[in-house]
Amino acid sequence: MRIMDLLTRDPREEPVSDFEADVVPTGAARVRVLLAAALGPLVTGYAVVATVLTLVTLTAERTVFSGFGVLLAAAPGWLAAHQVRLGIGGHPLGLLPLLPTLGAVALAARTASGAAQRLGCRSPREALPVFVTITGAHAVFGLVIAVCAQGSPVTANPLVACAVPGLLAAAASAVGIAASCGLPDFVAERLDPMALRGIRAGALGLALLLACGAAVFTVATAASWSTVADMYEPGLGNSFGLFLLSALYLPNAVTASLSFVTGPGFSIGPLNVGMFGYRGGTVPGVPILGGLPEHASAWWPALLVLPAATGVLVGWSLRKVDADPAQRIRTVAVAGAVVALGCVLLGTLSGGRLGDGPFDPVNVPVGVASVVAFCWIVIPGAFTAFFAGEHEPPAPPEALEDNEAFEDAEDVDADEAAEALEDFEDVEESEEDEEGPDEEDAEFEAEADAELGLDEAALSRESDASEDPSLSRESAAEHDEAVTGGTETCGDVEPGEADR
């Protein structure tokens, strides 16, 4: 009967999760969720560190396994996974592996996202208890470990042990909460679209630069595989320990290779490996460093085509973001700033103190590497985005811009302008039709007069003959009187007899 109910029941009638069903959890349920969010990453991370130490202890030769000793040793290992600087026998250890740190951050982010969903949080404000719980739990746990480790061979600064895990947990939980509460869409709606595209292109550029560093590291290791193989000891336990150590520091090595590909390089104690500068020195005998060159090579500058190609790809991805070339260049600058910030973060976490011996310190020049990475993205990317994208038409002259008719012309509809032009042509045609007959009649009379042989002289004689003689004499007399009257005032002219 139970099987039939499962087969006939419609899954759409039941909610998939509490978040989708809009079920508000009770107070006890909220406490359980928050408690799991606080203890889950701590217990899981501590268990992973303890498991790794157990495997190393069991496989190593001439070692005695102790469960309690492994649990105690896992405490500073948990701090090292959260980038807390340790002191071993009074010597500083700041060169910590990045791979466990990435795992711890991913675990905290996933825990925060799951807790926010189970509590039905729809906004960051509602998920604030989750954020505070996870951050506070990591900070308190790190402080407890540092306080309990005082007086042991492996120590840590309590303030640093409290602050650094808390900051990492805060950043990770914020990312997880943002993903579950729809904060990226909220920020994208209020952020400048050009800046958002620049951030995405910057993330792409940083990923490509890391891929270039990983490719160079892989090729160098493969080319020196005989040297790498000689570094492994015959025993399985020792070989496994060296392999595990190399795997944990693999992100550090990729970051150092990225710095080498872009130009500044890196240093391990006296050894300095740079694109345009090399100073030799001894290195630790671990397989991950087997690919380090023993001397400089003239072909190294050819590797600069990799970061240049990365900048070109970033510019190509931004060629269509806007028709204005200035806006495209601004977006490329945002992408370069994101890459520079990523290089600062990775370079800071990848280096550090390595005891007080001959290999101390391991350093990636953060300032120079970030500036150089910014230039590799912005310069070729700006050229590519400028010339590969479209361009706006030239702006009109200032005289036309100041003209009111020019300003109003942009608001005129094309259909309305065509109708107005047709009405104007109709009016002109009607006026031509009204004036046309008069002009045609005048031309017809002129042509008729020319055919009859009439000229102006004949017309004048006929008009003189048709006039009355008496009218002619009167007009002549009036003409003489007018002349006489006009000349009487002149002293040199005597009036005639007829005038007297």
Side-chain angles (χ1 to χ4, degrees):
M1 190 66 180
R2 178 64 176 171
I3 297 176
M4 293 301 298
D5 292 339
L6 293 175
L7 293 176
T8 57
R9 185 173 54 195
D10 189 359
R12 293 175 295 179
E13 297 177 357
E14 296 182 359
V16 178
S17 63
D18 293 340
F19 179 75
E20 296 179 356
D22 295 335
V23 176
V24 179
T26 61
R30 291 179 63 87
V31 171
R32 288 195 299 270
V33 171
L34 293 178
L35 186 61
L39 299 179
L42 303 181
V43 174
T44 303
Y46 199 93
V48 170
V49 174
T51 302
V52 172
L53 292 178
T54 300
L55 291 176
V56 173
T57 304
L58 291 175
T59 55
E61 298 178 356
R62 295 184 299 273
T63 59
V64 178
F65 176 76
S66 172
F68 183 73
V70 169
L71 291 177
L72 290 179
W78 187 90
L79 292 178
H82 288 80
Q83 294 295 313
V84 177
R85 178 180 172 180
L86 302 176
I88 302 177
H91 301 286
L93 177 61
L95 179 62
L96 302 172
L98 273 179
L99 187 61
T101 305
L102 297 177
V105 170
L107 180 61
R110 184 174 181 179
T111 303
S113 176
Q117 290 181 1
R118 286 192 296 271
L119 293 177
C121 301
R122 297 182 178 275
S123 65
R125 179 174 296 181
E126 295 178 358
L128 185 61
V130 178
F131 175 82
V132 174
T133 299
I134 296 177
T135 302
H138 280 75
V140 171
F141 192 64
L143 179 62
V144 170
I145 291 176
V147 171
C148 295
Q150 296 298 319
S152 63
V154 182
T155 59
N157 188 337
L159 294 179
V160 177
C162 176
V164 175
L167 290 176
L168 289 177
S173 58
V175 172
I177 291 171
S180 62
C181 295
L183 187 60
D185 297 335
F186 178 81
V187 174
E189 293 175 356
R190 288 160 178 78
L191 191 66
D192 184 7
M194 296 293 102
L196 184 61
R197 292 294 300 272
I199 293 174
R200 293 175 179 174
L204 173 64
L206 183 60
L208 291 176
L209 287 179
L210 287 173
C212 294
V216 171
F217 171 78
T218 303
V219 172
T221 304
S224 305
W225 183 250
S226 59
T227 304
V228 174
D230 293 339
M231 292 182 179
Y232 285 103
E233 297 183 4
L236 176 63
N238 296 333
S239 299
F240 178 75
L242 291 175
F243 173 78
L244 182 62
L245 182 66
S246 300
L248 294 178
Y249 279 95
L250 185 60
N252 303 62
V254 171
T255 304
S257 298
L258 183 154
S259 180
F260 171 75
V261 169
T262 54
F266 59 93
S267 62
I268 302 176
L271 175 66
N272 189 358
V273 181
M275 186 70 67
F276 302 99
Y278 181 89
R279 184 176 68 248
T282 58
V283 296
V286 291
I288 196 172
L289 301 178
L292 288 177
E294 298 180 356
H295 53 81
S297 299
W299 60 269
W300 282 357
L303 295 175
L304 295 177
V305 70
L306 297 177
T310 301
V312 171
L313 290 176
V314 171
W316 182 262
S317 67
L318 298 175
R319 70 189 187 281
K320 295 182 180 180
V321 295
D322 197 273
D324 187 5
Q327 294 295 328
R328 297 198 295 270
I329 294 176
R330 183 172 68 91
T331 309
V332 173
V334 173
V338 172
V339 172
L341 181 61
C343 290
V344 169
L345 181 61
L346 292 175
T348 302
L349 297 178
S350 297
R353 298 292 304 276
L354 190 59
D356 294 322
F359 312 120
D360 179 53
V362 178
N363 181 35
V364 175
V366 175
V368 179
S370 60
V371 173
V372 171
F374 176 83
C375 294
W376 279 121
I377 296 298
V378 171
I379 295 177
F383 273 96
T384 304
F386 182 86
F387 291 104
E390 59 183 15
H391 296 263
E392 291 183 343
E398 296 181 358
L400 293 178
E401 291 181 355
D402 298 335
N403 192 352
E404 296 180 357
F406 176 78
E407 295 177 357
D408 296 338
E410 297 180 355
D411 300 333
V412 176
D413 190 3
D415 297 335
E416 295 180 358
E419 293 177 358
L421 181 60
E422 292 178 357
D423 296 339
F424 179 73
E425 292 177 352
D426 294 339
V427 172
E428 287 185 346
E429 291 178 358
S430 61
E431 292 178 356
E432 291 177 357
D433 293 339
E434 294 177 357
E435 298 175 358
D438 296 337
E439 296 177 356
E440 291 178 357
D441 293 342
E443 293 177 358
F444 179 74
E445 292 177 358
E447 292 177 358
D449 293 340
E451 291 178 357
L452 295 174
L454 301 176
D455 54 1
E456 295 180 357
L459 292 174
S460 62
R461 285 194 299 270
E462 289 179 359
S463 61
D464 293 339
S466 62
E467 290 181 353
D468 191 358
S470 60
L471 293 176
S472 300
R473 286 194 298 270
E474 289 178 0
S475 61
E478 291 175 0
H479 178 70
D480 293 338
E481 289 178 359
V483 174
T484 303
T487 57
E488 284 180 353
T489 58
C490 185
D492 296 337
V493 180
E494 295 282 339
E497 294 180 358
D499 296 333
R500 294 196 188 108

